[in-house]
């Protein structure tokens, strides 16, 4: 169902973002039971970058709910026997630390810099062997569980060890634990031929074509492709009511938090913050690869969400959060019969 004001707001955002840039953009919005999608064909595939971390954290929660792993389980339990996880201050890295960027791990694996970032596809060589070898030589920057420090290494490592523990690969893990429950048929690491034909070519901010990225063993940090309709399905599940198979896991991540400062906190897979100049509480994650930028943002108390996928490296966070604020400020009657927030 489409509400005319929701349609207008999202359409204008898509038009502004697409104007004067090379690379297509798709904007999606939800409010209550209403939805709107504008821009390029809704079936267009994009690299979603770090929005992938939301899936990795939800997969962890799913496995924790079933008792396959525990949020407080030490990382070392899931590593090969010959690999020792770094420690600091007498505290070990636990799985919840990896999902909430409080592990103390650096942003990138040892061996990735500076060599990797000089390449057009900088993480393609990050194999499981390189990841494990780097972990042996890694020193933590803080005591695990005490300080927020954004880490692609931590999120990628979490996806890697969860897949290894369940005797599968990261792509299959996400399909089994999340996508099949939500009917998300367009979200995966490796696109089939039909999906690859729908992948929008990526571009730099100046409009130069950029090659696809392959995150190899770091797929859990940013390796997924998706579409706006698929991510709106994920957003709707977080706004509630969620499908029975995911409800407990979503609630677990919602109630697990580490405070960053007076205005913001980190939940597994999400950053929660008050929007500037308002008291609206939103949860979001953005993403960026060589030729793409993305945003997934939800306001559970208001039953609203925004998804923006852009095949250009120009940031979309500010216009996306502005659109979400406009939706919220339009009032409770804007998207009639709003969906209640998950517990």
């Amino acid at each position: 169902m489409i509400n005319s004001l929701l349609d207008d707001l999202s359409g204008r955002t898509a038009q502004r973002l697409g104007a004067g840039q090379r690379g297509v953009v798709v904007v999606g919005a939800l409010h209550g039971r209403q939805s709107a999608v504008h821009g390029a064909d809704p079936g267009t595939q994009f690299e979603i970058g770090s929005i992938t971390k939301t899936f990795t954290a939800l997969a962890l929660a799913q496995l924790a709910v079933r008792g396959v792993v525990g949020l407080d389980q030490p990382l070392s339990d899931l590593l090969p026997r010959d690999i020792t996880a770094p420690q600091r201050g007498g505290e070990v890295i636990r799985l919840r630390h990896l999902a909430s960027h409080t592990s103390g791990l650096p942003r990138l694996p040892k061996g990735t810099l500076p060599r990797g970032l000089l390449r057009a596809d900088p993480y393609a060589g990050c194999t499981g062997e390189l990841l494990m070898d780097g972990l042996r030589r890694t020193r933590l920057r803080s005591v695990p569980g005490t300080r927020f420090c954004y880490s692609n290494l931590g999120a990628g490592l979490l996806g890697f060890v969860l897949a290894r523990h369940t005797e599968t690969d990261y792509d299959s893990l996400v399909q089994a634990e999340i996508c099949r429950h939500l009917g998300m048929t367009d979200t995966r690491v490796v696109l089939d031929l039909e999906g690859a034909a729908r992948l929008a070519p990526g571009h730099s901010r100046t409009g130069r074509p950029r090659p696809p990225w392959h995150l190899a063993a770091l797929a859990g940090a940013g390796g997924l492709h998706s579409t706006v309709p698929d991510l709106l399905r994920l957003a709707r599940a977080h706004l509630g009511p969620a499908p029975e198979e995911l409800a407990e896991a979503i609630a677990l991540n919602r109630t697990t938090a580490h405070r960053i400062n007076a205005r913001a906190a980190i939940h597994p897979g999400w950053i929660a913050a008050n929007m500037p100049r308002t008291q609206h509480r939103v949860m979001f994650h953005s993403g960026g690869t060589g030729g793409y930028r993305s945003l997934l943002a939800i306001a559970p108390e208001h039953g609203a969400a925004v998804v923006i996928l852009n095949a250009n490296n120009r940031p979309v966070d500010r216009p996306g959060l502005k659109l979400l604020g406009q939706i919220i400020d339009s009032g409770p009657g804007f998207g009639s019969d709003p969906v209640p927030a998950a517990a």
Side-chain angles (χ1 to χ4, degrees):
M1 299 174 65
I2 298 177
N3 175 285
S4 59
L5 183 53
L6 184 69
D7 198 50
D8 180 61
L9 291 172
S10 56
R12 281 189 282 157
T13 300
Q15 187 176 31
R16 284 194 296 268
L17 285 170
Q21 76 164 30
R22 295 192 65 183
V24 300
V25 63
V26 182
V27 175
L30 293 175
H31 196 222
R33 300 187 187 280
Q34 313 295 328
S35 64
V37 178
H38 281 273
D41 188 308
T44 304
Q45 287 274 2
F46 297 81
E47 293 179 1
I48 65 171
S50 287
I51 292 178
T52 301
K53 294 177 174 68
T54 299
F55 289 82
T56 305
L58 186 54
L60 169 62
Q62 280 279 82
L63 295 175
V65 165
R66 296 206 308 276
V68 178
V69 298
L71 291 185
D72 286 319
Q73 188 167 358
L75 167 64
S76 57
D77 288 357
L78 277 65
L79 293 175
R81 291 183 180 180
D82 62 331
I83 304 298
T84 301
Q87 302 181 24
R88 183 164 176 172
E91 179 58 78
V92 300
I93 298 173
R94 303 181 188 276
L95 299 185
R96 72 162 70 227
H97 299 153
L98 298 174
S100 57
H101 301 286
T102 57
S103 66
L105 287 167
R107 188 178 185 92
L108 296 171
K110 275 192 173 295
T112 303
L113 288 173
R115 179 183 57 194
L117 295 185
L118 297 177
R119 299 171 178 167
D121 190 4
Y123 301 104
C126 190
T127 63
E129 290 77 12
L130 185 146
L131 196 59
M132 293 296 99
D133 181 64
L135 193 62
R136 287 191 184 98
R137 300 179 287 113
T138 296
R139 297 183 62 183
L140 299 185
R141 298 183 173 185
S142 58
V143 175
T146 63
R147 186 164 68 90
F148 171 76
C149 184
Y150 192 86
S151 175
N152 283 317
L153 169 58
L157 185 60
L158 178 59
F160 180 80
V161 299
L162 290 179
R164 182 178 182 275
H165 188 69
T166 54
E167 300 182 335
T168 187
D169 59 80
Y170 179 76
D171 207 345
S172 299
L173 177 72
V174 168
Q175 299 306 312
E177 299 297 337
I178 301 168
C179 295
R180 289 172 191 162
H181 298 309
L182 296 176
M184 298 174 67
T185 58
D186 278 333
T187 300
R188 57 185 64 250
V189 174
V190 180
L191 297 175
D192 59 19
L193 290 177
E194 190 273 337
R198 291 187 279 121
L199 177 64
H203 298 82
S204 70
R205 296 190 196 190
T206 58
R208 297 181 63 182
R210 303 297 298 165
W213 276 13
H214 305 87
L215 271 74
L218 282 177
L224 285 172
H225 303 83
S226 193
T227 64
V228 164
D230 257 22
L231 292 180
L232 288 177
R233 291 183 179 93
L234 180 67
R236 195 178 290 282
H238 280 82
L239 296 178
E244 182 180 356
E245 300 88 349
L246 286 170
E248 192 173 351
I250 288 173
L252 179 60
N253 280 352
R254 186 75 58 82
T255 57
T256 302
H258 176 90
R259 182 162 293 281
I260 300 173
N261 54 44
R263 291 178 58 89
I266 183 78
H267 296 261
W270 298 87
I271 295 172
N274 295 332
M275 296 185 72
R277 297 183 297 278
T278 76
Q279 293 304 309
H280 299 322
R281 193 70 169 175
V282 299
M283 298 174 64
F284 66 95
H285 213 301
S286 57
T289 58
Y292 303 83
R293 285 296 181 103
S294 56
L295 175 72
L296 169 61
I298 63 174
E301 295 177 2
H302 302 275
V306 165
V307 176
I308 300 180
L309 299 181
N310 191 18
N312 184 291
N313 201 247
R314 291 168 54 189
V316 296
D317 297 26
R318 184 172 294 180
L321 292 174
K322 179 181 178 180
L323 172 59
L324 184 58
Q326 290 173 326
I327 294 170
I328 295 171
D329 290 339
S330 297
F334 171 45
S336 58
D337 193 15
V339 179

